[in-house]
């Protein structure tokens, strides 16, 4: 069989490649900064970093259009940045400050943006999957052609509610892309120890849902698969499953001692498969960008991230009265 990696030139412009490089780097540097602030005691509670998985959201956002929706788990900072949410608001939510997306009352796992159609941030494993099908139901009901990206992990993919969602989604032909971010671990449990059918996307066959496995360290492969899935949903053909093979470099959360895998395993991934390095090398070898161009992007990102950290440190703590607000809905929104 021919090798999966093709040597032909990618069908993508220099500007697009630079944008993917920039967007992935923003997530990486933002997460590194969040890790530092956590270490300094400025961020409390749970904090799950997305480092290593950047190509998944950046590739899929490249396939999305205005008005499309997204919903994910607690490993959510990358998704927020990739859909255009403000880094200042995300970082300030991590530090629990007034300027945060949930006014400092939600933290890492509980942020939302109506403007960017980002529906969270969910701490209960798998809970976002039926919710994502419900978002797609609302679009189908309204008769528009929006698509919902519903992200979940390999661990969540073993839950019953995922299969109930698959069943309803195909039955009602809902425009939902089920995105399994298979980073090979659910906390400390490797997929090798948790499933008898490791090809997660194939499980859709039981419900008639098509899908495919995608190289999640290659942003161009993710984008291409995303476009195919989006076209399927927009054409009214119902749901689609993308199992995106990826890898997280850091622990499950900031409190993970990571005793379940070797340092060598992580280092090998970083050295051989890093999604940002792959695009960097495409840009340089294809002469789409010079070292100086990339340095300028690095500087731009560093400035954005530093500014977000500064904002997150200086924004005030929420006022005590805020404890009593945002608890109950005061009005029912007519249009999502
Ligand atoms: C219903 C429920 N069960 C257990 C937990 C504890 N828990 C948090 S994350 C996690 C692992 C999920 O792994 P996966 O779906 O692969 O996502 P990843 O963390 O790798 O992104 C578990 C068991 C939880 N939050 N909710
Ligand atoms: Mg996982």
């Amino acid at each position: 069989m021919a090798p999966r990696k093709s040597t032909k030139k990618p069908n993508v412009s220099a500007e697009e490649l630079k944008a993917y490089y920039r967007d992935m780097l923003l997530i990486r540097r933002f997460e590194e900064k969040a890790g530092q602030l956590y270490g300094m005691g400025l961020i409390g509670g749970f904090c799950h970093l997305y480092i290593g998985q950047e190509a998944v959201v950046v590739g899929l956002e490249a396939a999305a259009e205005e008005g499309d929706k997204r919903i994910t788990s607690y490993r959510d900072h990358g998704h927020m940045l990739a859909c255009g949410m403000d880094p200042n608001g995300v970082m300030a939510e991590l530090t629990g400050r007034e300027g945060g997306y949930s006014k400092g009352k939600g933290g890492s796992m509980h942020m939302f943006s109506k403007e960017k159609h980002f529906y969270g941030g969910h701490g209960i494993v798998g809970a976002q999957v039926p919710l994502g099908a419900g978002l797609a139901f609302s679009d189908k009901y309204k008769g528009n052609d929006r698509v919902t990206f519903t992200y979940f992990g390999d661990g969540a993919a073993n839950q019953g509610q995922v299969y109930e969602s698959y069943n309803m989604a195909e039955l009602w032909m809902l425009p939902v892309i089920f995105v399994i971010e298979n980073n090979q671990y659910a906390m400390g449990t490797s997929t090798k120890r948790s499933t008898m059918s490791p090809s997660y996307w194939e499980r859709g066959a039981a419900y008639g849902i098509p899908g495919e496995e995608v190289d999640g360290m290659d942003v161009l492969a993710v984008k291409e698969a995303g476009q195919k899935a989006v076209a399927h949903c927009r054409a009214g053909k119902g749901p689609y499953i993308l199992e995106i093979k990826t890898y997280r470099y850091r622990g499950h959360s900031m409190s993970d001692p990571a005793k379940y895998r070797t340092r060598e395993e992580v280092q090998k991934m970083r050295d051989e498969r890093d999604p940002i390095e792959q695009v960097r090398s495409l840009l340089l070898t294809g002469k789409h960008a010079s070292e100086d161009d990339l340095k300028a992007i690095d500087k731009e990102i560093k400035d954005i991230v530093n500014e977000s950290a500064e904002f997150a440190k200086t924004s005030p703590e929420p006022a005590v009265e805020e404890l009593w607000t945002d608890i109950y809905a005061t009005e029912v929104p007519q249009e999502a």
Side-chain angles (χ1 to χ4, degrees):
M1 208 165 80
R4 198 195 171 298
K5 277 241 167 223
S6 142
T7 47
K8 75 175 180 341
K9 280 201 172 150
N11 184 20
V12 59
S13 73
E15 283 319 303
E16 282 172 280
L17 267 185
K18 274 193 251 179
Y20 304 153
Y21 176 76
R22 184 197 169 281
D23 294 350
M24 290 195 288
L25 198 64
L26 172 63
I27 297 173
R28 172 99 25 122
R29 297 285 176 261
F30 181 96
E31 293 289 64
E32 286 167 353
K33 182 62 78 179
Q36 283 170 13
L37 297 185
Y38 196 96
M40 291 161 71
L42 288 162
I43 297 175
F46 288 104
C47 183
H48 310 83
L49 301 182
Y50 196 64
I51 297 175
Q53 300 187 205
E54 298 90 348
V56 181
V57 275
V58 171
L60 290 183
E61 285 296 337
E65 280 176 21
E66 178 53 37
D68 289 340
K69 298 178 167 136
R70 57 282 288 160
I71 187 166
T72 190
S73 71
Y74 42 82
R75 199 177 299 289
D76 55 358
H77 315 155
H79 302 68
M80 294 188 261
L81 298 175
C83 74
M85 287 169 65
D86 178 11
N88 287 7
V90 180
M91 198 67 98
E93 190 56 44
L94 296 183
T95 53
R97 304 300 175 94
E98 200 178 86
Y101 266 99
S102 299
K103 303 183 198 164
K105 299 188 285 184
S108 167
M109 306 190 282
H110 306 105
M111 285 182 242
F112 308 86
S113 167
K114 200 172 165 185
E115 184 202 353
K116 300 292 179 191
H117 310 285
F118 177 76
Y119 289 83
H122 294 267
I124 304 298
V125 171
Q128 74 277 19
V129 183
L131 294 176
L135 289 169
F137 176 81
S138 82
D139 285 326
K140 170 109 185 175
Y141 186 77
K142 289 174 191 157
N144 62 43
D145 69 348
R146 290 175 195 167
V147 167
T148 297
F149 292 85
T150 299
Y151 295 86
F152 52 103
D154 45 282
N158 288 320
Q159 282 193 353
Q161 61 181 330
V162 170
Y163 299 93
E164 294 179 42
S165 305
Y166 283 1
N167 184 50
M168 300 307 281
E170 180 67 14
L171 185 67
W172 291 338
M173 292 274 118
L174 303 181
V176 53
I177 303 174
F178 294 108
V179 182
I180 304 166
E181 293 199 61
N182 183 354
N183 61 12
Q184 303 174 42
Y185 292 93
M187 296 185 86
T189 308
S190 140
T191 51
K192 296 190 184 82
R193 291 201 296 130
S194 61
T195 182
M196 285 303 291
S197 63
S199 191
Y200 295 91
W201 71 271
E202 287 184 2
R203 300 181 191 176
Y207 307 87
I209 307 178
E212 60 193 275
E213 182 184 303
V214 187
D215 177 355
M217 305 308 269
D218 176 351
V219 71
L220 299 180
V222 176
K223 180 194 166 196
E224 203 175 304
Q227 285 175 324
K228 196 168 152 192
V230 165
H232 178 90
C233 289
R234 283 211 218 288
K237 295 181 182 166
Y240 200 92
I241 299 174
L242 293 176
E243 178 187 344
I244 308 197
K245 295 292 262 290
T246 181
Y247 197 79
R248 67 166 156 72
Y249 296 171
R250 296 291 185 93
H252 166 73
S253 70
M254 293 303 293
S255 52
D256 175 5
K259 296 226 169 88
Y260 47 85
R261 61 182 184 185
T262 61
R263 279 173 191 272
E264 289 71 31
E265 179 184 304
V266 183
Q267 199 54 47
K268 193 169 157 53
M269 238 346 153
R270 279 183 181 271
D271 292 345
E272 296 174 8
R273 307 293 322 284
D274 187 72
I276 300 177
E277 281 306 315
Q278 287 192 46
V279 172
R280 188 183 160 80
S281 122
L282 274 179
L283 280 165
L284 292 174
T285 54
K287 303 211 180 319
H288 300 301
S290 64
E291 288 278 1
D292 281 347
D293 294 335
L294 297 185
K295 269 191 199 144
I297 298 176
D298 295 359
K299 161 104 180 46
E300 179 210 343
I301 296 300
K302 202 173 167 193
D303 290 347
I304 293 172
V305 169
N306 283 341
E307 190 200 312
S308 75
E310 199 47 37
F311 180 75
K313 285 189 229 168
T314 51
S315 175
E317 300 274 348
V320 176
E321 304 80 70
E322 282 292 338
L323 278 172
W324 309 107
T325 61
D326 304 316
I327 298 169
Y328 300 111
T330 46
E331 58 185 86
V332 180
Q334 293 306 307
E335 179 63 28

